[in-house]
């Protein structure tokens, strides 16, 4: 972290001395606020974020843990400008995460935003991310990067989210936490960390249960994380990270507008009859081998491997086969990959530089089945390969990517740096159709498609003064369809795959300013413009079967602003403002005959988001507290902008105490969410064909937490 202090001038010293307040003045002026955290995501090398031509923010551990359930990324990311992170209050679905409107279309998982933990990708080769793999109670910080430089991470247009796990303490520690909350919510965490004979370790297991706010909304999840760091030598380090979870959760589905505001706790039509739910299990192992040849050259090798099982029960649309009221969609996944990177730094013509060269490979193999179900029970697949009685789909989906990238920085002068890079991305999607017997109406739907693109980016930062940096950058964006988006040409039964879906390509422009306004206040502001061709959008979404198409042109213009300040008596203020004007930029008619007009707002995007927080700590009592305020403008639910969820403002309160008694450390905390019991829509389902767009947010609710740790 960078600490910044304003210098005392001789005049200030003389005046202070004359009034006898020199020691007070010196103490005040030397009181430094820790500013501009060091980040690794932007350049893949640790660097002060203040000196980068990149919009990047860091969520610190206290904002991840204090008064939080630590189950959804949306809990922490709501404070980051440019990010929309909606908690769907639905454990069967991942949170809706988008940046500058990219990823807002997502019906399942995370699109348009790449997700990492300790440099290990949680985004598959086709671009679909699974952030739920990581237990947030193990995370020390979250880096969130937006804008053009995100393209250096691959087939993603919007941004990069990287979670960094906590390091082992010098002395061994053990600890535990218990949490109790509204709607039968319970969570338990056990953790141990330390160092033993040169090996740093961190172990964490947790359990989560909830009855849910709505009907058919219960869920449970068990997670385990293990991290080991082997200090092989002064120059060679090996880190191993293991993530595992097992989950079962019900899906309450979406509601119509009338139902969402009259009976928000109700389940959607078909949820009870079809017993809509999901079973998931996931295991992933990753390694990070780092070796420094000398002070100027180092390499890192990051291989990973994992498996994922997903069995999701969906309600069928009205045109479903006779006597079937549901479907079971199953995915059995194997995946693996690696990133090999060389870092070099030194001087060229007496100017400091650093450069990174890398290769990335990934492969994902999904065995997919779709079976009719009665009241949430799968039909016998062996009765007949007929859409009315058994299987609807059985295929193998294989995705590969092979990318090469280069990135570097040159300090032209002491106050002017140039950053540049490029990435060549190649993604292959292949379908092997194994549903070829019986009365299959589809025939052989096997096929493959390949996407390739080189995406350059360049930026510059001018250090105008010690306290003000100005920057500008430009880059190309490239986003390929995922297998979910390529699965169906339409949402109708017996639809063929959508391998004709094109990747979206964009031009990204960005300018910004980073400033220390005082020795205890920092502010960041970014302006951007993005124009996109062939943006991938939701065409139709009926009962869990979504189809996608390409829009002609879209554009995004916006501003992001954040400010943080510390005052006397341990009072801090933080504010974040996001303005996003995301529009269709040309008329087009989709395959269903629906015409979307130029000027329509891209659904799932908020024009305005505000987050504010005032926090106070009283160290003598170990007391901490914060009042949070959040405003979101209205949000459209479909491309034709026929309906919208209204704007809302909510307030949350968190408070607690910390005590240290010899080797023990205790913490007790309370969180009250939606203090004034506001009725509002937490998220929307884009282009839902049954007009059940709305997912109501929770009413006033609470969370009580207790934790204890012991240091040996």
């Amino acid at each position: 972290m960078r600490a910044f202090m304003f210098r005392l001038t001789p005049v200030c010293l003389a005046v202070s001395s004359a009034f006898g307040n020199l020691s007070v003045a010196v103490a005040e002026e030397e009181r430094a606020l820790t500013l501009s955290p060091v980040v690794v995501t932007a350049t893949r090398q640790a660097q002060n974020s203040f000196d980068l031509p990149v919009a990047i923010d860091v969520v610190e551990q206290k904002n991840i843990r204090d008064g939080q359930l630590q189950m959804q990324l949306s809990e922490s990311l709501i404070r980051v400008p440019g990010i929309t992170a909606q908690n769907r209050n639905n454990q069967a679905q991942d949170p809706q995460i988008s940046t500058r409107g990219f990823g807002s279309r997502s019906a399942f998982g995370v699109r348009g935003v790449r997700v990492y933990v300790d440099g290990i990708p949680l985004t598959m080769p086709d671009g679909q991310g699974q952030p739920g793999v990581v237990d947030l109670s193990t995370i020390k910080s979250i880096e969130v990067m937006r804008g053009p430089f995100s393209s250096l991470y691959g087939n993603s247009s919007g941004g990069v989210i990287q979670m960094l796990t906590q390091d082992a303490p010098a002395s061994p520690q053990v600890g535990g936490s218990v949490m109790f909350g509204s709607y039968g919510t319970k969570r338990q965490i056990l953790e141990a960390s330390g160092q033993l004979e040169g090996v740093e370790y961190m172990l964490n297991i947790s359990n989560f249960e909830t009855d849910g706010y709505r009907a058919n909304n219960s869920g449970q999840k068990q997670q385990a994380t293990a991290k080991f760091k082997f200090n092989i030598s002064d120059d060679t380090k090996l880190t191993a990270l293991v993530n595992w979870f097992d989950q079962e959760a019900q899906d309450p589905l979406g509601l119509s507008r009338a139902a969402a505001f009259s009976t928000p706790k109700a389940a959607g039509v078909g949820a009870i009859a079809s017993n809509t739910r999901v079973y998931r299990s996931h295991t992933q192992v990753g390694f990070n081998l780092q070796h420094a040849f000398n002070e100027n050259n180092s390499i890192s090798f990051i291989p990973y491997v994992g498996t994922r099982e997903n069995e999701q029960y969906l309600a069928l649309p009205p045109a479903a086969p006779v006597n079937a009221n549901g479907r079971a969609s199953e995915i059995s996944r194997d995946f693996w990959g690696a990133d090999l990177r060389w870092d070099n730094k030194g001087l060229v013509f007496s100017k400091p530089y650093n450069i990174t060269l890398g290769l990335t490979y990934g492969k994902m193999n999904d065995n997919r089945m779709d079976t009719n179900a009665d009241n949430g029970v799968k039909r016998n697949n062996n009765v007949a390969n007929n859409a009315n009685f058994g299987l609807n789909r059985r295929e193998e989906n294989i995705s590969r990517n092979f990318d090469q990238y280069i990135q570097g920085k040159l300090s032209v002068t002491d106050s002017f740096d140039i950053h540049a890079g490029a990435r060549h991305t190649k993604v292959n999607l292949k379908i092997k159709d194994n549903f070829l017997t019986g009365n299959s109406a589809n025939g052989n739907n096997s096929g493959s498609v390949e996407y390739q693109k080189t995406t350059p980016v360049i930026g510059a930062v001018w250090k105008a003064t010690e306290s003000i940096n100005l920057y500008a950058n430009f880059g190309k964006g490239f986003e390929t369809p995922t297998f979910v988006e390529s699965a169906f040409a339409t949402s109708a039964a017996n639809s063929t795959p959508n391998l004709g879906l094109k990747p979206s390509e964009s031009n990204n422009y960005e300018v910004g300013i980073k400033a220390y306004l005082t020795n205890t206040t920092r502010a960041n502001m970014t302006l951007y413009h993005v124009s996109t061709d062939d943006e991938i959008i939701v065409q139709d979404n009926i009962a869990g079967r979504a189809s996608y198409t390409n829009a002609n042109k879209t554009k995004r213009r916006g501003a992001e602003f954040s400010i943080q300040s510390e005052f006397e008596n341990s009072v801090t203020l933080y504010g974040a403002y996001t303005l996003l004007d995301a529009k269709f930029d040309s008329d087009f008619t989709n395959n269903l005959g629906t015409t979307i007009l130029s000027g329509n707002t891209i659904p799932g995007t908020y024009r305005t988001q505000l987050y504010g927080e005032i926090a106070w700590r009283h160290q003598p009592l170990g007391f901490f507290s914060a009042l949070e305020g959040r405003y979101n403008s209205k949000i459209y639910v479909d491309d034709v902008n026929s309906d919208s969820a209204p704007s809302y403002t909510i307030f949350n309160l968190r408070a607690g105490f910390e005590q240290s008694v010899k080797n023990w450390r205790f913490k007790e905390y309370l969180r009250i969410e939606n203090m004034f019991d506001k009725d509002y829509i937490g998220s929307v389902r884009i282009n839902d064909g049954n007009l059940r767009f709305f997912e109501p947010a929770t009413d006033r609710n609470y969370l009580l937490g207790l934790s204890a740790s012991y240091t040996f």
Side-chain angles (χ1 to χ4, degrees):
M1 307 284 277
R2 171 174 175 172
F4 182 87
M5 293 185 294
F6 287 94
R7 294 190 178 91
L8 289 171
T9 66
V11 173
C12 292
L13 292 173
V15 172
S16 299
S17 179
F19 284 91
N21 293 325
L22 174 60
S23 60
V24 176
V26 171
E28 175 65 22
E29 291 299 329
E30 289 188 351
R31 182 171 61 88
L33 173 67
T34 300
L35 296 166
S36 293
V38 172
V39 295
V40 297
T41 304
T43 62
R44 294 183 172 85
Q45 301 178 25
Q47 190 163 344
N48 192 303
S49 62
F50 181 71
D51 295 327
L52 296 172
V54 175
I56 187 167
D57 287 83
V58 176
V59 182
E60 299 175 341
Q61 188 175 53
K62 65 180 181 179
N63 295 315
I64 301 171
R65 286 196 169 194
D66 286 358
Q68 301 281 21
L69 186 60
Q70 304 161 52
M71 280 299 297
Q72 298 271 10
L73 268 177
S74 54
E75 300 170 29
S76 306
L77 297 186
I78 59 172
R79 62 188 296 115
V80 179
I83 291 286
T84 297
Q86 299 299 96
N87 184 355
R88 308 176 74 172
N89 302 297
N90 182 353
Q91 297 297 317
Q93 306 290 349
D94 283 306
Q96 290 183 323
I97 298 175
S98 62
T99 172
R100 299 181 178 177
F102 291 103
S104 62
R105 68 183 185 276
S106 178
F108 302 97
V110 175
R111 318 277 195 278
V113 182
R114 298 196 70 85
V115 186
Y116 292 80
V117 56
D118 290 344
I120 301 165
L122 303 181
T123 299
M124 296 295 100
D126 67 341
Q128 178 179 332
Q130 307 289 351
V133 173
V134 179
D135 191 329
L136 292 179
S137 62
T138 68
I139 299 302
K140 68 176 180 181
S141 65
I142 304 171
E143 298 182 4
V144 184
M145 182 171 69
R146 292 92 65 200
F149 276 84
S150 304
S151 65
L152 294 178
Y153 277 84
N155 55 325
S156 176
S157 296
V160 178
I161 297 172
Q162 175 146 224
M163 293 168 277
L164 301 172
T165 55
Q166 57 192 358
D167 299 316
S171 300
Q173 293 182 359
V174 295
S177 299
V178 293
M179 304 178 200
F180 306 92
S182 301
Y183 328 120
T185 298
K186 296 183 286 290
R187 189 158 193 243
Q188 305 90 32
I189 304 169
L190 292 174
E191 50 193 345
S193 56
Q195 302 182 26
L196 181 64
E197 297 181 356
V199 178
E200 303 175 23
Y201 63 89
M202 182 269 290
L203 306 171
N204 180 291
I205 59 173
S206 66
N207 176 69
F208 168 77
E209 303 170 54
T210 184
D211 295 331
Y213 169 65
R214 299 172 59 196
N216 202 62
N217 197 193
S218 66
Q220 60 182 17
K221 186 177 185 180
Q222 293 79 43
Q223 292 181 271
T225 304
K227 178 182 175 181
F228 301 95
K229 184 176 181 180
F230 303 90
N231 298 302
I232 300 171
S233 69
D234 292 341
D235 299 324
T236 307
K237 317 290 181 183
L238 175 63
T239 301
L241 181 66
V242 181
N243 298 101
W244 169 88
F245 78 76
D246 189 83
Q247 180 183 26
E248 178 179 350
Q250 294 178 312
D251 189 344
L253 304 181
L255 297 176
S256 66
R257 167 176 280 278
F261 287 98
S262 61
T263 56
K265 293 185 178 182
V269 175
I272 303 297
S274 300
N275 192 9
T276 51
R277 66 197 189 278
V278 68
Y279 302 100
R280 292 193 186 106
S281 63
H282 185 110
T283 303
Q284 180 166 335
V285 182
F287 300 90
N288 188 342
L289 176 63
Q290 297 176 310
H291 175 73
F293 295 101
N294 50 49
E295 63 180 4
N296 293 330
N297 292 278
S298 63
I299 62 169
S300 66
F301 179 54
I302 304 178
Y304 62 92
V305 63
T307 62
R308 185 179 182 92
E309 302 293 329
N310 195 95
E311 183 178 2
Q312 190 140 14
Y313 286 80
L314 307 166
L316 275 177
V322 178
N323 297 324
N325 66 4
R327 290 169 34 230
S329 177
E330 299 173 82
I331 302 173
S332 181
R333 173 178 298 167
D334 298 314
F335 62 92
W336 60 93
D339 183 276
L340 177 62
R341 188 178 78 238
W342 170 62
D343 297 310
N344 171 258
K345 62 182 180 180
L347 297 174
V348 57
F349 301 114
S350 300
K351 305 296 183 182
Y353 77 91
N354 59 57
I355 191 169
T356 296
L357 294 171
L359 300 172
T360 297
Y361 176 81
K363 183 177 181 181
M364 176 184 76
N365 196 105
D366 285 359
N367 286 301
R368 292 177 175 256
M369 293 180 63
D370 191 292
T371 311
N372 288 334
D374 300 303
N375 303 315
V377 179
K378 285 188 299 181
R379 291 184 174 181
N380 188 341
N381 294 331
N382 296 320
V383 171
N385 285 328
N386 183 290
N388 290 332
F389 298 99
L391 286 173
N392 301 313
R393 181 185 184 197
R394 182 171 60 196
E395 63 190 40
E396 187 176 357
N397 295 165
I398 303 169
S399 175
R400 295 183 178 88
N401 78 285
F402 180 54
D403 297 8
Q404 310 85 45
Y405 60 88
I406 182 172
Q407 182 174 359
K409 182 193 82 169
L410 176 65
S411 296
V412 180
T413 70
D414 291 340
S415 60
F416 189 79
D417 296 337
I418 295 177
H419 293 253
R423 184 173 184 123
H424 178 261
T425 297
K426 181 168 72 172
V427 177
N428 181 273
L429 305 182
K430 183 177 182 180
I431 296 175
K432 291 183 178 180
D433 189 355
N434 297 317
F435 186 41
L436 303 175
T437 60
N439 296 324
S440 172
N442 290 336
N444 189 342
N445 288 315
S446 299
S448 65
V449 62
E450 184 175 278
Y451 310 101
Q452 289 195 63
K453 185 72 175 179
T454 298
T455 50
V457 62
I458 186 169
V461 58
W462 174 42
K463 303 167 188 177
T465 70
E466 277 191 333
S467 58
I468 298 177
N469 282 1
L470 304 171
Y471 68 90
N473 54 56
F474 166 78
K476 294 280 189 178
F478 180 59
E479 185 176 2
T480 63
T482 66
F483 263 124
V484 169
E485 293 158 351
S486 299
F488 305 110
T490 71
S491 57
N494 299 324
S495 172
T496 58
N498 194 10
L499 295 180
L501 196 60
K502 295 182 287 187
S504 62
E505 301 182 15
S506 58
N507 292 318
N508 298 261
Y509 304 86
E510 184 179 75
V511 296
I513 181 171
K514 302 180 182 184
Y516 300 126
L517 303 181
T518 71
N519 66 324
T520 59
T521 303
R522 77 168 185 263
N524 298 326
M525 184 172 183
T526 304
L527 305 175
Y528 62 87
H529 177 93
V530 184
S531 58
T532 304
D533 292 327
D534 298 318
E535 176 151 341
I536 301 168
I537 63 171
V538 177
Q539 177 174 253
D540 199 8
N541 187 355
I542 299 178
R545 178 179 281 149
S547 64
Y548 296 80
T549 189
N550 293 106
N552 288 341
K553 294 181 181 295
T554 61
K555 65 180 178 182
R556 293 165 168 83
R557 295 174 294 186
E560 298 162 3
F561 176 75
S562 65
I563 186 168
Q564 179 174 337
S565 187
E566 285 193 4
F567 300 92
E568 293 182 349
N569 302 315
S570 300
V571 175
T572 61
L573 289 176
Y574 174 79
Y577 169 74
T578 301
L579 174 66
L580 171 62
D581 182 33
K583 302 286 189 182
F584 292 100
D585 204 26
S586 63
D587 297 347
F588 78 101
T589 302
N590 65 24
N591 294 332
L592 301 179
T594 302
T595 298
I596 291 89
L597 300 177
S598 176
N600 281 10
T601 297
I602 296 175
T605 63
Y606 295 96
R607 180 176 175 83
T608 304
Q609 296 183 90
L610 278 169
Y611 177 85
E613 176 184 294
I614 179 170
W616 176 56
R617 288 181 176 267
H618 186 59
Q619 296 295 347
L621 293 178
F623 177 74
F624 62 90
S625 62
L627 176 66
E628 309 167 3
R630 182 183 182 188
Y631 168 80
N632 279 19
S633 62
K634 73 176 182 180
I635 182 172
Y636 286 104
V637 299
D638 57 13
D639 296 331
V640 296
N641 293 176
S642 67
D643 202 353
S644 63
S647 64
Y648 64 87
T649 302
I650 60 170
F651 293 92
N652 312 314
L653 177 69
R654 65 179 193 264
F657 290 91
E658 294 178 312
Q659 307 91 34
S660 295
V661 182
K662 294 185 178 179
N663 292 2
W664 286 95
R665 186 176 181 89
F666 301 95
K667 180 185 288 188
E668 309 86 29
Y669 52 89
L670 172 70
R671 180 177 184 85
I672 302 175
E673 189 96 11
N674 193 6
M675 292 172 55
F676 301 109
D677 205 20
K678 172 76 173 179
D679 292 330
Y680 70 101
I681 301 301
S683 63
V684 296
R685 299 191 175 210
I686 305 301
N687 285 349
D688 188 90
N690 295 315
L691 306 183
R692 295 193 282 268
F693 303 110
F694 304 97
E695 295 181 316
T698 54
D699 55 14
R700 183 190 299 116
N701 63 93
Y702 75 92
L703 176 70
L704 175 66
L706 307 169
S707 66
S709 63
Y710 182 84
T711 302
F712 293 91

